[in-house]
Amino acid sequence: MMKFRFRRQGADPQREKLKQELFAFHKTVEHGFPNQPSALAFDPELRIMAIGTRSGAVRIYGAPGVEFTGLHHNAATVAQMHFLPGQGRLLTLLDDNSLHLWEIVPHNGCAHLEEMLSFQLPSRPVFDGASTLPSLSRVTVVLLVADGNRAALGTEGGSVFFLNMDTLTLLEGQTLAPDEVLRSLPDDYRCGKALGPVESLQGHLQDPSKILIGYSRGLLVIWSQTAHCVERVFLGNQQLESLCWERSGSTVVSSHSDGSYAIWPADSGSSLVLQPTAATMPYGPFPCKAINKILWRNCESGGHFIIFSGGMPRASYGDRHCVSVLQAETLVTLDFTSRVIDFFTVHSTLLEDEFDDPQALAVLLEEELVVLDLQTPGWPAVPAPYLAPLHSSAITCSAHVANVPAKLWARLVSSGEQQSPQPTSSTSSWPITGGQNLAQEPSQRGLLLTGHEDGTVRFWDASGVALRPLYKLSTAALFQTDCEHADSLAQAAEDDWPPFRKVGCFDPYSDDPRLGVQKVALCKYTARMVVAGTAGQVLVLELSDVPAEQAVSVASMDLLQDREGFTWKGHDQLSPSTGPLPWPAGFQPQVLVQCLPPAAITAVTLHTEWGLVAFGTSHGFGVFDYQRKSPVLARCTLHPNDSLAMEGPLSRVKSLKKSLRQSFRRIRKSRVSGKKRAVNASSKLQEANAQLAEQAYPHDVEVTPVQRRIEPRSADDSLSGVVRCLYFADTFLRDAVHHGPTLWAGTNSGSVFAYALEVPAAATGSEKRPEQAVEAVLGKEVQLMHRAPVVAVTVLDGRGRPLPEPYEASRDLAQAPDMQGGHAVLIASEEQFKVFTLPKVSAKTKFKLTAHEGCRVRKVALATFASVACEDYAETCLACLTNLGDVHVFSVPGLRPQVHYSCIRKEDISGIASCVFTRHGQGFYLISPSEFERFSLSARNITEPLCSLDIRWPRDTTCDSYRLQESPKLSQANGTPGIILAPRSCDGSPSPARSKGAGDTLEPSEATLSPISMDSATSADTTLDTTGDVTMEDVRDFLGPGGARPQDLITTCPSPSSSEEPQKNLRNVAQDEAHACTILIR
């Protein structure tokens, strides 16, 4: 008998409306340090800083929470950046010889970054009429002339061109050619090699008409723009690297390729200066590297600052990355662990001030940003409220903790302040304070935990836009390691030369790779956490507000249980330090559990109410009672053919013979199964039934999609015993009447083990249970048909909701679970989601993701999605990330698909592996080793930059019409295209259905996309589900008379005149699919 399954025709309009109120995908902000920075700029009037990267990204930072982001279309390296002071405009020079003018544009009380003009510099400029201008060649240096509407461009050919900043066009008749400079030189200097490229251009603070020009040969000239002649010549012969003009204009400082710098008098009576007044090689007399950049800053208290990068002795310290700070007799050599990109000082730039009086020195390095307080003795480092190097040691794992209690938050902040106390004499705060953060204070505190290769766990404030470091936990002190290179470098004698001082926190070296943190778990109610590492070490720690000196209890658990035929070939376990050890305030270890064999921990979970911790490796899983400090359970999950699991991740020897044997075995098995299917006698009958069904089936009814054929996985696949997930739950396992503590474990071979735990109940009014042994008994064992790896296990109560965390229900912090109705267990594998009833463990419902979508599950999490229309309504759904980079959301427990979005490029394997979901519908993933991309799946819970900038200069209103004709900006600097929504609504409050990246344009939600924009090249960030899309009729109604105000429509296409009909507007949009339209609905 043939069976047909029909779906209900169409979609429920009420449910589609509810989806739009619950779900919306936005990429909101990028946390961390920009990957591969290449340029730096600072606006002393607005107090904002810009960083450019090799990928063409532009990031502007002000006060914490004030961020703007842009991306050049051609994604070339940003070579130089220059702010037009006080104007909120930024000029960028790319390595493809193009100039771009960016502007921070206010809109509805907020501001965002837009590219206003761009100009590709020609190899030979051509003007109207005859022109004999020299070749422009490549631009080497840019100077913004103080009058604000011109820029000087120095080139490789030695010429200086001038650019109109309002139109980004070259000015004819003002070019300074090398021949004009050569005519002012003595004959003996003129004869010989050429002047070379223009290396430096410096403006006079007091007299904007004068420009100091430095050529590669060493020649310095002061050029008068008003008189169009050379005023003064400095005859240098050493190859020039950098120039600095002292504030009063009486002194010029030049740095050179031999590691020296020279001081020249600029106020002498003679127009020809033959020799500098002083020439110094700070780290001579032996050959030194070039001084790449030099600054001179004078002080009212006397003793000017000379700050320069490079200049180190070539033979001894040529590989060091240094910036030297010299004031009077004090010299400090700042030693960094990554390459110096650029630096600047925060000082007074007012014309009426006589002195610079620098307050701070900011150094941009390849891997971090360091700011020093120059007004405090000793020049201490200023803690950064953002731009912290997440990858100070390589990130190995991450976790998010939502709704952190205020007490725990205060204790973490206090412990972090004790780790890096500031000098009592320091009065300087973060100097980059421009702009105003308009975002509301977060309603709840969120912690982002990152585990690192060096054995540290870092705690980050992830509540807002700025990812602020709170506290760092180090586990290396508990173990004996051989390498102590960091300590030996820090213990340099004071009389050593040069006077190095280690600065910064980026440390790419790890003492021992076995220290790497693989898994972390934190109980926010009891301030206990578990840190598990690469060598099978599991640490249980407790937060303490005072330092202590104590010994750590050590226990070991053999997960192989003396099974014969297995020999561990991997790394050895770490040797714990013996005796009492000093521990600072913060998390202090209580118990160390060593798994044997010492394989990397693959899963961990903590239940503080029962005093238990569970952990798993590639060999099995175990349960440990950290209150009694005794083992509870050890279960081996190895298959007899799992020899690969015995080699470990650090083993260099792989069995080639074993791999070839398994490959041929799979090929042979697939051929045999194919032949069996071919000779199946019932295949012809099935084909006939299918044809009959196709003829009799109504074509206007939607049918169930064809499922892909999924081959069952072999039971003897390598690493089938890897424990992928562990889960504690109080549920019904033995019968439907009595519930109790249980442990669920899922493996790589599709096996799920459920153990019933006998945990002594705590006395009334006490949270500490009696000192009785905990027992574990195997209750159920589930084997999935296709043996797909189990990614997660979750128990749902009688109302279909996930069980609360430990202590949430007992302390009335969450609604108590329904223990009357039947419970269910949700098992998520890489191929499907399945709900089983408890305690019978019978299948209730399932969704075959791999069969329907052709992808595999990588990450899953249960999240609560709150409605933007009703504050009291929320749904708990299952969010999952696939190996294709798509995010799917399913209802729970019905497992009905709700929405799915394209989130991460499928080629970005590390980004997919690093993704972590939050409890409120947000997520993080690494877009580079130093940056987390934050995204939101919730229409209500969005964390994004909302900021303004006080710009006091007359904007040209004609720029607005030009800006509307520009193509939409890419929303993400990592190359993920998208359209960005309006930053704020009419009343100035954040719009719940919008997403605005830092300074990006607009990204429409699922409900505001038309089919035209779905096909455009810039709609990759939008939902793939077309349900609920705006139809052509809706757009026509919107564009019709009275449907929208003129200011409600902003399009990237040329704006039609007001006399044109709405139908013509719609036709223009439909014909130009390459230009995406953005609709702002207020």
Side-chain angles (χ1 to χ4, degrees):
M1 179 178 179
M2 294 180 295
K3 295 183 180 180
F4 298 97
R5 289 183 296 166
F6 295 88
R7 283 186 183 177
R8 182 176 55 186
Q9 185 175 6
D12 184 5
Q14 293 296 329
R15 182 59 192 173
E16 296 303 319
K17 180 181 177 182
L18 188 58
K19 283 184 184 181
Q20 298 170 13
E21 296 172 354
L22 292 173
F23 312 110
F25 178 73
H26 313 295
K27 289 185 178 180
T28 55
V29 66
E30 296 171 5
H31 295 301
F33 185 77
N35 187 40
Q36 296 181 329
S38 58
L40 177 69
F42 179 69
D43 188 336
E45 295 187 20
L46 297 179
R47 289 293 182 104
I48 55 178
M49 174 185 66
I51 296 178
T53 69
R54 296 184 190 175
S55 61
V58 176
R59 311 280 181 81
I60 298 180
Y61 302 93
V66 178
E67 296 185 12
F68 305 96
T69 303
L71 180 67
H72 293 89
H73 287 284
N74 48 0
T77 298
V78 181
Q80 295 184 40
M81 310 175 76
H82 301 273
F83 273 110
L84 281 71
Q87 300 183 17
R89 295 198 292 172
L90 178 71
L91 181 66
T92 60
L93 172 67
L94 306 187
D95 64 352
D96 64 356
N97 219 33
S98 63
L99 288 168
H100 303 261
L101 183 63
W102 298 80
E103 183 177 339
I104 299 175
V105 181
H107 180 74
N108 286 348
C110 284
H112 60 278
L113 185 65
E114 286 192 13
E115 182 181 347
M116 308 301 294
L117 297 170
S118 63
F119 177 52
Q120 181 67 48
L121 297 169
S123 58
R124 183 178 298 276
V126 179
F127 301 95
D128 295 336
S131 177
T132 57
L133 289 173
S135 173
L136 182 63
S137 67
R138 191 176 67 88
V139 176
T140 56
V141 63
V142 178
L143 170 67
L144 295 179
V145 182
D147 56 16
N149 62 351
R150 287 184 305 155
L153 310 178
T155 65
E156 276 187 342
S159 301
V160 178
F161 295 85
F162 290 89
L163 192 73
N164 187 332
M165 290 299 300
D166 295 332
T167 59
L168 277 194
T169 56
L170 294 175
L171 297 174
E172 188 177 6
Q174 299 188 23
T175 303
L176 174 61
D179 295 340
E180 297 184 57
V181 177
L182 287 173
R183 286 195 289 266
S184 304
L185 303 180
D187 293 338
D188 56 345
Y189 193 90
R190 191 185 313 167
C191 299
K193 59 182 181 179
L195 298 180
V198 178
E199 291 291 344
S200 183
L201 293 174
Q202 296 291 322
H204 195 296
L205 184 63
Q206 309 295 334
D207 188 356
S209 64
K210 297 180 180 180
I211 296 180
L212 176 64
I213 307 173
Y215 295 91
S216 177
R217 179 178 173 181
L219 175 69
L220 316 179
V221 298
I222 296 179
W223 174 261
S224 174
Q225 301 181 72
T226 55
H228 205 73
C229 66
V230 175
E231 279 195 359
R232 184 166 281 106
V233 176
F234 307 90
L235 297 180
N237 291 300
Q238 186 61 42
Q239 181 176 338
L240 182 69
E241 294 288 335
S242 174
L243 280 178
C244 182
W245 209 340
E246 187 259 342
R247 185 183 187 91
S248 64
S250 61
T251 303
V252 172
V253 184
S254 62
S255 66
H256 302 277
S257 61
D258 63 346
S260 65
Y261 67 85
I263 301 175
W264 304 81
D267 56 355
S268 61
S270 174
S271 61
L272 182 64
V273 180
L274 302 178
Q275 295 292 335
T277 56
T280 307
M281 185 178 291
Y283 299 107
F286 298 105
C288 297
K289 301 193 73 174
I291 295 180
N292 303 312
K293 181 177 180 178
I294 191 166
L295 296 178
W296 176 298
R297 300 289 183 255
N298 56 19
C299 301
E300 186 176 6
S301 59
H304 53 263
F305 279 92
I306 296 180
I307 306 172
F308 59 89
S309 61
M312 302 307 298
R314 188 177 297 273
S316 305
Y317 305 104
D319 58 342
R320 297 288 185 94
H321 311 289
C322 299
V323 172
S324 301
V325 182
L326 174 63
Q327 185 186 30
E329 300 299 326
T330 304
L331 173 64
V332 174
T333 307
L334 306 175
D335 188 13
F336 303 101
T337 54
S338 58
R339 185 170 59 93
V340 178
I341 303 297
D342 202 354
F343 59 92
F344 64 84
T345 59
V346 180
H347 61 279
S348 173
T349 56
L350 300 177
L351 295 177
E352 57 269 19
D353 290 344
E354 184 179 354
F355 300 96
D356 295 311
D357 287 328
Q359 306 167 17
L361 169 66
V363 184
L364 176 65
L365 307 163
E366 198 168 33
E367 305 293 349
E368 61 183 324
L369 177 75
V370 176
V371 177
L372 300 181
D373 178 9
L374 296 181
Q375 294 185 332
T376 301
W379 305 329
V382 180
Y386 50 82
L387 284 178
L390 303 175
H391 64 317
S392 52
S393 177
I395 296 177
T396 52
C397 68
S398 57
H400 185 271
V401 182
N403 298 328
V404 179
K407 183 178 180 180
L408 174 60
W409 190 271
R411 296 177 67 187
L412 285 173
V413 171
S414 175
S415 300
E417 291 175 349
Q418 295 182 48
Q419 285 183 334
S420 56
Q422 291 299 301
T424 55
S425 59
S426 177
T427 58
S428 176
S429 58
W430 185 248
I432 304 167
T433 58
Q436 182 181 3
N437 183 13
L438 303 178
Q440 299 179 355
E441 281 294 320
S443 58
Q444 55 91 18
R445 298 291 184 181
L447 272 178
L448 181 64
L449 310 181
T450 56
H452 297 264
E453 190 181 33
D454 61 353
T456 60
V457 179
R458 286 171 167 81
F459 292 66
W460 307 89
D461 178 4
S463 309
V465 173
L467 193 67
R468 183 170 61 97
L470 294 180
Y471 167 73
K472 182 178 76 171
L473 164 66
S474 178
T475 62
L478 183 59
F479 303 100
Q480 300 175 4
T481 56
D482 300 331
C483 305
E484 300 293 340
H485 69 279
D487 296 338
S488 62
L489 290 177
Q491 295 174 354
E494 294 183 359
D495 56 351
D496 282 355
W497 182 261
F500 288 116
R501 172 183 159 191
K502 297 290 289 185
V503 182
C505 60
F506 177 73
D507 184 9
Y509 307 104
S510 175
D511 290 348
D512 195 324
R514 296 175 296 173
L515 291 172
V517 177
Q518 295 296 321
K519 298 291 178 180
V520 293
L522 172 67
C523 177
K524 58 190 177 184
Y525 302 113
T526 59
R528 280 191 174 91
M529 73 176 302
V530 176
V531 178
T534 305
Q537 69 272 25
V538 180
L539 270 173
V540 181
L541 306 99
E542 186 175 4
L543 184 62
S544 175
D545 299 326
V546 295
E549 185 172 348
Q550 60 187 16
V552 179
S553 301
V554 180
S556 61
M557 292 187 65
D558 184 8
L559 299 182
L560 291 181
Q561 299 175 319
D562 300 326
R563 183 172 294 193
E564 298 180 356
F566 291 92
T567 304
W568 174 249
K569 304 175 184 178
H571 51 267
D572 295 332
Q573 68 184 62
L574 287 165
S575 300
S577 302
T578 57
L581 298 173
W583 299 103
F587 280 98
Q588 299 173 355
Q590 306 294 318
V591 182
L592 167 63
V593 183
Q594 179 63 57
C595 295
L596 297 176
I601 302 297
T602 57
V604 72
T605 186
L606 174 68
H607 202 293
T608 53
E609 202 165 357
W610 302 337
L612 301 177
V613 58
F615 42 84
T617 68
S618 56
H619 309 122
F621 58 91
V623 180
F624 189 83
D625 182 353
Y626 64 82
Q627 181 174 316
R628 297 183 68 250
K629 299 178 181 178
S630 62
V632 175
L633 167 69
R635 170 68 184 261
C636 181
T637 58
L638 280 177
H639 190 270
N641 293 331
D642 265 354
S643 61
L644 191 61
M646 304 307 296
E647 298 183 2
L650 303 180
S651 176
R652 299 181 180 179
V653 181
K654 299 292 183 181
S655 176
L656 179 60
K657 185 183 300 184
K658 175 76 172 177
S659 302
L660 291 175
R661 186 185 302 117
Q662 291 176 349
S663 300
F664 283 114
R665 188 175 299 164
R666 292 193 191 97
I667 295 173
R668 190 182 306 113
K669 185 176 297 183
S670 63
R671 289 177 178 174
V672 171
S673 60
K675 292 179 180 179
K676 290 181 179 178
R677 288 194 301 269
V679 299
N680 191 351
S682 62
S683 60
K684 294 182 179 181
L685 179 60
Q686 292 177 358
E687 291 180 6
N689 291 339
Q691 293 178 1
L692 180 62
E694 185 176 357
Q695 295 174 2
Y697 202 69
H699 295 281
D700 57 343
V701 180
E702 183 183 1
V703 298
T704 302
V706 178
Q707 298 184 8
R708 293 168 174 82
R709 184 182 298 277
I710 306 300
E711 292 291 342
R713 305 192 186 198
S714 174
D716 59 353
D717 282 349
S718 298
L719 301 177
S720 62
V722 175
V723 178
R724 295 288 295 272
C725 61
L726 293 164
Y727 178 68
F728 284 117
D730 185 359
T731 186
F732 302 91
L733 186 62
R734 295 177 175 175
D735 53 58
V737 179
H738 304 92
H739 63 87
T742 61
L743 170 71
W744 300 76
T747 70
N748 228 23
S749 60
S751 300
V752 178
F753 303 94
Y755 278 82
L757 304 176
E758 295 291 340
V759 181
T764 305
S766 173
E767 293 183 353
K768 191 172 183 180
R769 59 179 174 79
E771 291 293 331
Q772 298 178 9
V774 179
E775 298 181 359
V777 179
L778 180 62
K780 305 288 183 181
E781 184 173 346
V782 181
Q783 178 62 59
L784 300 181
M785 182 181 301
H786 290 298
R787 299 184 179 274
V790 179
V791 180
V793 177
T794 302
V795 172
L796 307 176
D797 67 1
R799 292 186 294 264
R801 299 175 181 175
L803 300 181
E805 295 182 10
Y807 287 111
E808 273 191 337
S810 61
R811 296 184 181 181
D812 296 330
L813 301 172
Q815 185 179 4
D818 182 6
M819 308 302 289
Q820 302 300 323
H823 282 200
V825 58
L826 169 61
I827 299 178
S829 71
E830 284 190 357
E831 297 179 1
Q832 67 180 7
F833 309 119
K834 204 164 188 178
V835 176
F836 297 88
T837 60
L838 289 178
K840 293 184 178 180
V841 193
S842 59
K844 183 178 181 181
T845 182
K846 65 181 176 180
F847 183 85
K848 298 180 179 180
L849 185 67
T850 302
H852 291 160
E853 306 293 340
C855 56
R856 296 188 184 276
V857 178
R858 289 291 177 258
K859 303 283 183 176
V860 295
L862 288 172
T864 302
F865 294 89
S867 171
V868 295
C870 179
E871 293 185 0
D872 298 331
Y873 183 79
E875 289 186 8
T876 299
C877 298
L878 178 70
C880 83
L881 175 71
T882 70
N883 62 329
L884 302 181
D886 298 333
V887 176
H888 298 251
V889 179
F890 298 88
S891 64
V892 174
L895 296 182
R896 294 185 179 90
Q898 302 299 305
V899 291
H900 66 282
Y901 310 99
S902 178
C903 180
I904 310 175
R905 293 180 297 107
K906 63 181 180 181
E907 299 83 8
D908 189 2
I909 300 176
S910 62
I912 295 174
S914 64
C915 181
V916 55
F917 290 103
T918 73
R919 291 183 60 182
H920 300 288
Q922 294 194 36
F924 302 83
Y925 69 92
L926 288 172
I927 56 175
S928 73
S930 60
E931 291 174 290
F932 271 112
E933 176 79 73
R934 187 172 192 147
F935 64 90
S936 175
L937 303 174
S938 171
R940 180 174 173 181
N941 185 22
I942 304 174
T943 302
E944 60 182 352
L946 293 173
C947 48
S948 65
L949 196 62
D950 188 11
I951 303 173
R952 297 185 178 92
W953 73 284
R955 292 184 64 247
D956 188 2
T957 56
T958 60
C959 293
D960 293 338
S961 60
Y962 174 83
R963 171 162 42 91
L964 296 180
Q965 301 180 25
E966 291 293 306
S967 59
K969 300 297 171 293
L970 296 180
S971 65
Q972 303 299 330
N974 65 342
T976 307
I979 311 172
I980 308 301
L981 278 179
R984 291 176 77 84
S985 58
C986 262
D987 57 358
S989 62
S991 176
R994 53 86 186 92
S995 169
K996 180 185 71 64
D1000 295 330
T1001 48
L1002 303 177
E1003 180 174 356
S1005 63
E1006 175 186 1
T1008 60
L1009 279 176
S1010 67
I1012 297 173
S1013 63
M1014 288 291 293
D1015 295 334
S1016 65
T1018 57
S1019 62
D1021 276 353
T1022 58
T1023 174
L1024 303 179
D1025 191 357
T1026 57
T1027 57
D1029 287 347
V1030 176
T1031 63
M1032 301 294 285
E1033 289 75 12
D1034 296 333
V1035 178
R1036 185 177 290 109
D1037 294 340
F1038 177 80
L1039 295 175
R1045 294 170 295 177
Q1047 62 267 27
D1048 286 339
L1049 179 64
I1050 295 182
T1051 173
T1052 55
C1053 307
S1055 300
S1057 61
S1058 58
S1059 61
E1060 292 178 317
E1061 297 178 354
Q1063 288 79 4
K1064 188 174 182 180
N1065 294 343
L1066 184 61
R1067 185 169 61 253
N1068 291 339
V1069 174
Q1071 291 175 352
D1072 194 1
E1073 294 183 1
H1075 294 268
C1077 295
T1078 302
I1079 299 177
L1080 308 184
I1081 302 178
R1082 303 179 184 179

